[in-house]
Amino acid sequence: MSFITAFMYSGLLFGQKNYRTLVYEGNEKFNGKDYDGASVKYLEAIRTNSKDLQRITI
């Protein structure tokens, strides 16, 4: 049972890092006035985060 719990949380943690990386990249593009590029990164981050939340609730 603890293996399953650890496996679920490891996916969440790795997903969270990816989410944070995408938000950071979006912020960098926004600060560089690349608003279209920033929007793409933010949308990718939202998709990544929503997939992680679905894993938890299922």
Side-chain angles (χ1 to χ4, degrees):
M1 183 66 148
S2 63
F3 173 74
I4 294 171
T5 304
F7 182 73
M8 281 179 33
Y9 286 115
S10 68
L12 176 63
L13 292 175
F14 289 122
Q16 198 67 287
K17 181 180 177 187
N18 190 26
Y19 169 80
R20 289 182 179 173
T21 300
L22 290 167
V23 170
Y24 176 80
E25 291 172 358
N27 289 342
E28 290 294 306
K29 289 188 178 289
F30 184 86
N31 290 336
K33 299 186 191 267
D34 178 6
Y35 303 118
D36 290 334
S39 177
V40 169
K41 291 295 182 180
Y42 293 144
L43 288 172
E44 285 181 47
I46 290 168
R47 277 190 227 113
T48 300
N49 199 32
S50 67
K51 287 179 188 174
D52 290 340
L53 292 175
Q54 287 174 355
R55 271 190 240 155
I56 293 170
T57 58
I58 291 176

